[in-house]
Amino acid sequence: MENDKKEYKLSGMTCAACAMTIEMVVKELSTVEDATVNLATEKLTVLPKEGFASEQVLEAVKEAGYQAAEKGEQKQSDYAKQVAEKKEKVRQMASQIWFAAGATVPLLYISMGSMIGLPFPSFLDHMMHPIAFVSAQLFLTLPAIWVGWGFYVRGFRNLAKWHPNMDSLIAVGTSAAFLYSLYSVVQVLFGHHTFVHQLYFESVGVIITLVLLGKYLEDNAKGRTSQAIQSLMSLVPNQATVIRYGEVVTIDTEDIKVGDIVRIKPGERMPVDGVVISGQTYVDESMMTGESVPVEKNVGDVITSATMNQTGSIDYKATKVSSDTTLAQIVHLVEEAQGSKAPIAAMADKISLYFVPLVLGLAVLAALLWYVLAGESLQFSLSIFIAVLVIACPCALGLATPTAIMVGTGKGAENGVLIKSGEALEAAHLVDVIVLDKTGTITEGKPSLTDVLTFSTISREALLSLVASSEQHSEHPLAIAVLQAAQAEDLSLAPVTDFQAISGKGIIAQVEAQEVLIGNESLMRQYQIELGEHISDLIFLSHQGKTAMFVALDRQLVGLVAVADQIKKNSREAIAKLQKMGLEVVMLTGDREETAQAIAREAGVDQVIAGVFPDGKADVVRTLQTQGKKVAMVGDGINDAPALVQAEVGIAIGSGTDVAIDSADIVLMHSDLLDVVTAIRLSQATIKNIKENLFWAFAYNTLGIPVAMGLLHVFGGPLLNPMLAGLAMSFSSVSVVTNALRLRRFKIKS
């Protein structure tokens, strides 16, 4: 069974109906579980089943009248190539528009110039030279038809397949106008000169030119929505210096392989991830961590791609290259998010599916009503028919959601907030409870040893050495604090023959044939170790916001060690801002109640749930959800993974681990709680923008279609000219994309 998503680049789409058509035909394949098309990114995402083959998808898309190409592994040069291709496409569109306009402007002048009193050459006068008058218009219409030929090919092909789209509306409308005008030309040639007043060539030329102009402006604006990815990719140098077979050579970054030795000089960016093997330097990691102070790098330290070398020269071994680098993973996340759909888009998608056939029906109905019941001329009815078809294009509807998501997620990525999907973006604005893990989220996650209490004849140094020896195989933050303290005091460590970590309680270790137990009150009681009056020591330290651990040697209590974890500098400010936004903030921790309350008071948190084991955090989130709450869980992405998945929105803080990236809906690269505020506010701004776009898109079609059908004319008002309908249709799409681009001005800090 194949579970990995497959992505395809699409071409030939022009509106939401196109996207829905492709979705439908691909979903009908027996080897496809699900399929999603994003109009803004022109991307098809397929969830395959057993027996899947890409050829099936490519053929289905082709049969539907569009083109698809499988997306392979994206390299840096691929992005640059795509940007260049988009620019070239926009440039070609501009050339086509100028060509079409070069013929359409004289066409408008000939057809309407005399009506508004403009000077007019006598040889084109419709009374004196009717054949020249109609022939000139026919000739000047042909360039627009040639430039817009794609509308006719795609439009009629999709109409024949019973999948009409925007192109179908334009193709049918302008073809009707052109054929009727051509009929009038023939009549004039046969001497029926009254037909000079029944030409629609100018409508054909103007509609095609304006639609092309609208698409040009739309594509130009859409190009700016993907600037986030472009700016991220630009952080990686195109070339790098590596040492191969003892030779120093300069190669393309894409050609670096795992194990290559990369040489970096001051002022250069790191091309790939790796580990320092020689030299010392300071590296600016602010684009990853948000920390402005450069980090010292020595032999054995980890290097992250796209970070900036500051002072010294280093050689480092490449460990992650190409699509495996940290930056590449970030770019992939952003792409995934930009290509995803928010649930709010479902309504627009369903409407788009039936919209075009409905419009075709309304256009025919309106024309017949005016011709048959109202007794208007064929010319009048045809004008109504064309205007309805042209104004009703659902482009704006299809672009309303994806463009806003592209800009919103891109804005987040630029500021270290990686929103993984449209679903997460939408869910975040509905959150009313923020659950914060304590260690590493509210606090630094780097506790230091504060107290060593002895309860028997054992000395302080011996107790600390015993604890450090037992903890030397543990990666727990508390263990690291003890080990750092022992190292600072230059204490020797004994070998450990057996080690067992008990989740949420502590550890059991064998040190020099002695059983050592280190942990909380629960662990001691589990092994029936008498605590006596020393419980008061635990409570006293807990009230000071310290985490205390009992130490037992061969089932006898011998001491107590305590560590403290300082809250992050921005935690209090972030929590205050979340509360000001009307959100309920809850701190969740495995610490004792006293310790948790001490930290909570310092951080400004009102609600505390303490003594929770890692596997119980998801239950806490579930309990809040049963109360009707929409929960966002913020944690470090490791022991908090089940809770991150359970919550409506899982937020992993820190540039952390693969688990964080896998489990969370949003990843905060800067390890700053203020970015939680940013994520929520960005979600609110994006959803507001989407709702604005959908409102105007719906309003445009709701108001535009009745006007085009002649509703105002019934009450003595004006009739909508097909050319004005084309102008309105084009600029409705542009307005939606332009409104989405306003999100780029979203202020991160406020």
Side-chain angles (χ1 to χ4, degrees):
M1 180 89 58
E2 183 134 14
N3 294 316
D4 294 332
K5 290 180 179 178
K6 300 290 184 183
E7 293 182 348
Y8 302 84
K9 191 69 181 172
L10 299 171
S11 55
M13 292 193 301
T14 52
C15 69
C18 302
M20 288 301 295
T21 297
I22 295 173
E23 274 191 15
M24 283 173 54
V25 298
V26 175
K27 282 180 180 178
E28 286 172 359
L29 296 171
S30 60
T31 56
V32 170
E33 183 76 31
D34 195 19
T36 306
V37 173
N38 188 300
L39 179 62
T41 57
E42 296 181 322
K43 188 175 78 174
L44 164 65
T45 305
V46 174
L47 186 63
K49 291 196 276 191
E50 196 169 354
F52 174 84
S54 280
E55 291 74 18
Q56 299 168 327
V57 173
L58 300 176
E59 187 60 33
V61 174
K62 186 180 179 182
E63 280 292 312
Y66 307 92
Q67 296 80 49
E70 190 169 3
K71 287 184 69 177
E73 183 182 301
Q74 293 287 91
K75 299 178 180 178
Q76 188 181 348
S77 59
D78 294 333
Y79 289 98
K81 186 180 176 183
Q82 288 170 11
V83 171
E85 286 174 351
K86 285 179 181 176
K87 287 182 178 177
E88 178 60 22
K89 180 185 174 184
V90 170
R91 191 195 64 78
Q92 287 178 358
M93 289 179 71
S95 300
Q96 290 176 342
I97 291 165
W98 281 112
F99 181 71
T104 301
V105 172
L107 175 61
L108 264 175
Y109 186 83
I110 295 170
S111 63
M112 309 183 92
S114 61
M115 299 180 192
I116 55 177
L118 294 175
F120 204 73
S122 59
F123 69 90
L124 289 176
D125 186 271
H126 68 281
M127 296 295 290
M128 298 172 58
H129 303 284
I131 294 176
F133 178 75
V134 299
S135 300
Q137 290 192 52
L138 172 60
F139 176 77
L140 290 169
T141 307
L142 296 178
I145 290 176
W146 182 76
V147 170
W149 190 247
F151 291 128
Y152 298 98
V153 174
R154 293 188 300 267
F156 285 118
R157 181 174 58 196
N158 284 301
L159 191 61
K161 293 178 180 291
W162 297 99
H163 294 305
N165 60 358
M166 179 202 99
D167 292 335
S168 304
L169 299 180
I170 294 168
V172 171
T174 57
S175 294
F178 181 79
L179 291 172
Y180 185 81
S181 302
L182 192 62
Y183 168 77
S184 298
V185 170
V186 174
Q187 292 297 317
V188 171
L189 292 175
F190 281 108
H192 303 292
H193 293 169
T194 56
F195 278 88
V196 296
H197 302 294
Q198 298 186 38
L199 299 177
Y200 277 96
F201 287 127
E202 77 282 355
S203 293
V204 176
V206 171
I207 287 169
I208 290 174
T209 303
L210 286 175
V211 171
L212 285 171
L213 177 63
K215 293 301 292 180
Y216 166 78
L217 294 172
E218 182 189 308
D219 282 5
N220 204 31
K222 279 163 64 178
R224 298 201 298 275
T225 63
S226 59
Q227 282 187 351
I229 287 180
Q230 294 170 29
S231 60
L232 284 171
M233 292 303 299
S234 67
L235 295 173
V236 178
N238 294 320
Q239 292 189 314
T241 303
V242 299
I243 303 170
R244 284 182 175 173
Y245 309 108
E247 296 286 328
V248 179
V249 294
T250 301
I251 63 172
D252 290 341
T253 298
E254 294 171 1
D255 296 330
I256 298 175
K257 295 180 173 60
V258 173
D260 276 344
I261 307 301
V262 183
R263 178 160 292 177
I264 297 293
K265 297 175 182 176
E268 293 181 342
R269 285 196 181 273
M270 311 298 179
V272 295
D273 294 4
V275 177
V276 179
I277 60 170
S278 70
Q280 182 273 336
T281 189
Y282 284 86
V283 176
D284 179 1
E285 296 183 335
S286 57
M287 57 81 58
M288 286 291 178
T289 64
E291 188 60 55
S292 58
V293 179
V295 180
E296 186 178 5
K297 297 291 181 180
N298 293 292
V299 175
D301 288 336
V302 174
I303 296 293
T304 306
S305 59
T307 54
M308 176 70 79
N309 187 29
Q310 296 277 290
T311 54
S313 294
I314 58 168
D315 290 348
Y316 74 94
K317 181 181 288 187
T319 55
K320 292 181 179 178
V321 301
S322 191
S323 61
D324 294 327
T325 65
T326 302
L327 184 69
Q329 289 178 12
I330 293 170
V331 168
H332 180 69
L333 282 177
V334 177
E335 282 191 314
E336 285 277 304
Q338 291 188 338
S340 66
K341 285 185 180 180
I344 197 171
M347 176 177 60
D349 286 346
K350 287 178 182 176
I351 290 172
S352 299
L353 182 61
Y354 304 104
F355 191 75
V356 175
L358 178 65
V359 168
L360 281 167
L362 288 174
V364 172
L365 179 65
L368 288 174
L369 287 174
W370 281 108
Y371 185 72
V372 177
L373 295 183
E376 293 287 352
S377 66
L378 182 61
Q379 185 182 5
F380 181 94
S381 302
L382 183 64
S383 177
I384 294 285
F385 177 75
I386 298 166
V388 173
L389 290 180
V390 172
I391 203 169
C393 167
C395 274
L397 204 58
L399 291 166
T401 301
T403 48
I405 288 174
M406 282 183 73
V407 179
T409 53
K411 185 70 179 179
E414 287 175 356
N415 293 276
V417 179
L418 301 184
I419 302 167
K420 291 173 65 176
S421 67
E423 289 88 344
L425 191 65
E426 182 172 344
H429 95 286
L430 299 170
V431 164
D432 45 33
V433 178
I434 307 287
V435 178
L436 302 175
D437 177 52
K438 178 181 76 71
T439 306
T441 302
I442 295 176
T443 67
E444 291 286 353
K446 298 175 183 177
S448 55
L449 186 70
T450 57
D451 300 85
V452 181
L453 306 180
T454 60
F455 302 146
S456 68
T457 56
I458 191 171
S459 68
R460 179 190 177 280
E461 289 75 17
L463 179 63
L464 182 56
S465 177
L466 184 69
V467 174
S469 298
S470 305
E471 297 275 20
Q472 62 187 304
H473 295 302
S474 173
E475 295 181 355
H476 195 280
L478 302 182
I480 293 170
V482 171
L483 285 164
Q484 286 176 341
Q487 188 179 11
E489 296 184 25
D490 201 24
L491 299 176
S492 59
L493 303 183
V496 178
T497 54
D498 191 21
F499 176 88
Q500 183 185 354
I502 301 172
S503 183
K505 294 183 179 181
I507 68 159
I508 304 174
Q510 290 287 329
V511 179
E512 294 182 331
Q514 294 177 301
E515 183 191 66
V516 183
L517 285 134
I518 306 168
N520 57 21
E521 184 183 351
S522 177
L523 181 69
M524 297 298 128
R525 297 202 186 284
Q526 181 180 331
Y527 285 86
Q528 300 177 340
I529 295 168
E530 186 62 41
L531 301 177
E533 78 250 7
H534 299 300
I535 276 289
S536 60
D537 296 316
L538 177 73
I539 295 170
F540 175 75
L541 292 168
S542 297
H543 280 304
Q544 294 181 327
K546 298 174 181 178
T547 299
M549 299 174 288
F550 286 109
V551 184
L553 185 62
D554 292 330
R555 307 291 173 98
Q556 294 295 315
L557 190 68
V558 294
L560 182 68
V561 294
V563 298
D565 189 8
Q566 302 299 311
I567 72 165
K568 294 179 179 178
K569 62 180 181 180
N570 292 331
S571 290
R572 188 173 183 88
E573 182 188 353
I575 289 165
K577 284 188 173 183
L578 290 168
Q579 291 168 337
K580 191 177 179 181
M581 291 164 66
L583 298 170
E584 186 181 336
V585 181
V586 179
M587 188 180 84
L588 192 60
T589 178
D591 273 346
R592 288 177 56 86
E593 184 73 27
E594 296 83 358
T595 306
Q597 290 292 348
I599 297 293
R601 283 193 298 273
E602 191 178 354
V605 180
D606 299 323
Q607 297 186 58
V608 178
I609 302 175
V612 181
F613 295 146
D615 57 356
K617 291 182 178 181
D619 294 331
V620 171
V621 172
R622 202 174 291 111
T623 301
L624 289 167
Q625 291 170 328
T626 58
Q627 299 169 8
K629 310 281 189 180
K630 301 291 185 183
V631 181
M633 174 70 198
V634 187
D636 62 16
I638 301 172
N639 61 341
D640 302 314
L644 291 172
V645 173
Q646 177 63 39
E648 274 80 9
V649 182
I651 304 176
I653 194 159
S655 54
T657 63
D658 292 337
V659 178
I661 292 175
D662 291 340
S663 304
D665 302 300
I666 299 174
V667 180
L668 309 181
M669 299 300 294
H670 295 169
S671 300
D672 189 339
L673 263 188
L674 280 172
D675 286 342
V676 177
V677 180
T678 298
I680 301 292
R681 287 183 56 244
L682 183 60
S683 167
Q684 292 171 343
T686 305
I687 297 303
K688 182 185 176 186
N689 190 279
I690 289 172
K691 288 178 177 177
E692 289 171 353
N693 286 347
L694 287 172
F695 172 79
W696 288 113
F698 280 123
Y700 163 80
N701 286 125
T702 305
L703 297 172
I705 292 174
V707 171
M709 291 176 72
L711 183 63
L712 296 181
H713 194 66
V714 172
F715 301 100
L719 195 66
L720 185 65
N721 187 288
M723 291 183 291
L724 293 176
L727 184 67
M729 182 272 288
S730 296
F731 282 93
S732 67
S733 300
V734 176
S735 65
V736 164
V737 178
T738 305
N739 187 50
L741 285 170
R742 287 195 305 113
L743 283 169
R744 291 175 61 191
R745 298 199 299 270
F746 173 82
K747 293 181 180 177
I748 298 298
K749 306 294 183 188
S750 67

